[in-house]
Amino acid sequence: MKPLFAINLTDDKKNEVVNGSEFVTKKASIQNTDSLEENQEELKQVIKKSQLPLWLQIATYICGAYALIVAINVLTNLELGLMQIFKNAPALIISAIICGVIWLVLFVYSKIKSKNVLAKENVEQQIADIDKDLDAIYSELGVPKDAISIDILMFRYKIKDGEIKPYGGMQNVPYLNFEIKAYTDGKCLHFADAENIYSFDLSELRGITTVNKRIATMGWNKAEHPRKGEFKQYKITVSDESIPYIIYKPFHILEGEHNGENYGIYFPCYELPAFERLTGLRAKTEIEE
């Protein structure tokens, strides 16, 4: 099965071609896509400017982690008394206090810097410009106003012994939650990103497979927190790493056949109701991994 919206690294580890170009039915104009890319790059640079230099981010993390570890050890030995704990390891306690102060100073400074830079660069207007570019692209592509926003899984992979093996990227998290617009016209299921319309004949869809496996994915595109509201039922775990990711189980694959070739569109567990509504299919098969 060929995974769509994924990149095959089996024969070329530098490959950047995303599977699925054969399903493209409309493309946005270069004028609109260039404007979007330019505004996105400007926002990216502003966000980078608003953050601490990498070495200070690392220092903040190390100081905070060290102070926290020592504090936990102190709390677990409180029966000895604070004075006795200090006498047993004065250098450890003093260094932890110093690291705690450094962490607090850097943390407060980072927040102040971020707030000042984002305000000075008028980030709200930059975001509005990006939204305007996206609206122009969707309008050009003919995306209906009632199209819904859903996440699909993008990833890189290698084929080994006939099996698809997702290839880990940053922090060894291979999957990325990628937001698209989705809608149907009674004949096809359509996906719209910031450049193209992808169309899948409903008659070629074969089913939805449930993969009973826990995976980690980068990115969260919903307005509501992954542990609250309608998403609470999925028991999503949010990492506490410097670069956050989410963990959930299971995930699903919308399977189809086109020109004699089987394909699959991977998507998160919390998007199953939307995919079932869009396709009229129900997830039945479970695969244990």
Side-chain angles (χ1 to χ4, degrees):
M1 181 183 68
K2 178 180 180 180
L4 302 187
F5 306 103
I7 299 175
N8 189 349
L9 304 179
T10 306
D11 299 320
D12 181 5
K13 64 181 181 180
K14 295 183 179 180
N15 183 31
E16 296 182 354
V17 178
V18 179
N19 295 341
S21 60
E22 64 269 34
F23 293 97
V24 173
T25 53
K26 289 184 181 180
K27 298 182 73 70
S29 65
I30 295 178
Q31 179 181 357
N32 280 334
T33 56
D34 282 353
S35 177
L36 175 62
E37 289 177 6
E38 181 179 340
N39 285 327
Q40 287 177 329
E41 182 59 30
E42 287 181 2
L43 179 60
K44 180 180 177 181
Q45 293 303 318
V46 169
I47 293 175
K48 183 178 180 180
K49 183 180 177 182
S50 71
Q51 298 172 337
L52 295 178
L54 180 59
W55 70 273
L56 276 181
Q57 292 182 42
I58 295 173
T60 303
Y61 178 80
I62 292 174
C63 289
Y66 180 74
L68 180 61
I69 291 171
V70 174
I72 291 174
N73 278 279
V74 169
L75 290 174
T76 56
N77 291 281
L78 277 178
E79 68 275 6
L80 298 176
L82 292 176
M83 291 301 297
Q84 186 60 47
I85 293 174
F86 182 79
K87 288 180 180 179
N88 290 343
L92 188 68
I93 302 300
I94 292 173
S95 61
I97 293 174
I98 293 173
C99 282
V101 172
I102 293 174
W103 172 84
L104 181 61
V105 170
L106 290 175
F107 177 78
V108 172
Y109 173 67
S110 69
K111 294 299 181 181
I112 294 174
K113 179 182 180 182
S114 177
K115 182 178 180 180
N116 290 340
V117 170
L118 296 181
K120 181 180 179 181
E121 298 293 340
N122 198 3
V123 168
E124 290 186 0
Q125 182 59 50
Q126 290 184 318
I127 293 175
D129 290 341
I130 290 174
D131 288 340
K132 184 178 179 180
D133 288 335
L134 283 172
D135 288 342
I137 289 173
Y138 292 148
S139 176
E140 178 187 8
L141 293 174
V143 179
K145 296 292 185 181
D146 60 353
I148 62 174
S149 296
I150 60 174
D151 289 345
I152 58 174
L153 296 176
M154 297 187 70
F155 59 97
R156 299 184 298 169
Y157 69 95
K158 292 182 179 180
I159 298 178
K160 186 176 182 180
D161 298 327
E163 294 187 8
I164 297 170
K165 300 291 185 180
Y167 184 76
M170 188 177 297
Q171 292 184 281
N172 200 31
V173 179
Y175 298 97
L176 170 68
N177 286 326
F178 181 68
E179 187 178 53
I180 58 169
K181 292 288 187 180
Y183 60 97
T184 62
D185 58 9
K187 180 181 178 181
C188 291
L189 169 64
H190 301 285
F191 290 165
D193 61 15
E195 296 182 10
N196 306 302
I197 293 287
Y198 298 85
S199 301
F200 306 92
D201 195 316
L202 291 174
S203 66
E204 295 182 346
L205 300 180
R206 298 293 178 256
I208 297 175
T209 297
T210 298
V211 183
N212 196 24
K213 177 183 179 182
R214 189 174 303 279
I215 61 171
T217 67
M218 301 296 297
W220 180 254
N221 301 311
K222 308 299 184 179
E224 197 165 33
H225 191 275
R227 298 283 293 176
K228 296 181 179 180
E230 65 175 295
F231 303 108
K232 188 176 182 180
Q233 62 182 302
Y234 299 105
K235 300 178 180 179
I236 299 171
T237 299
V238 182
S239 78
D240 58 359
E241 302 292 333
S242 56
I243 301 178
Y245 54 87
I246 63 173
I247 304 170
Y248 51 78
K249 174 184 179 180
F251 66 92
H252 306 277
I253 306 173
L254 174 63
E255 298 184 8
E257 181 182 346
H258 181 69
N259 292 336
E261 182 178 34
N262 295 325
Y263 66 83
I265 299 171
Y266 291 54
F267 62 92
C269 56
Y270 55 83
E271 295 293 12
L272 179 59
F275 270 84
E276 289 184 333
R277 189 166 61 251
L278 286 165
T279 64
L281 300 171
R282 295 293 178 268
K284 295 181 179 180
T285 307
E286 290 196 3
I287 297 177
E288 295 283 348
E289 290 197 2

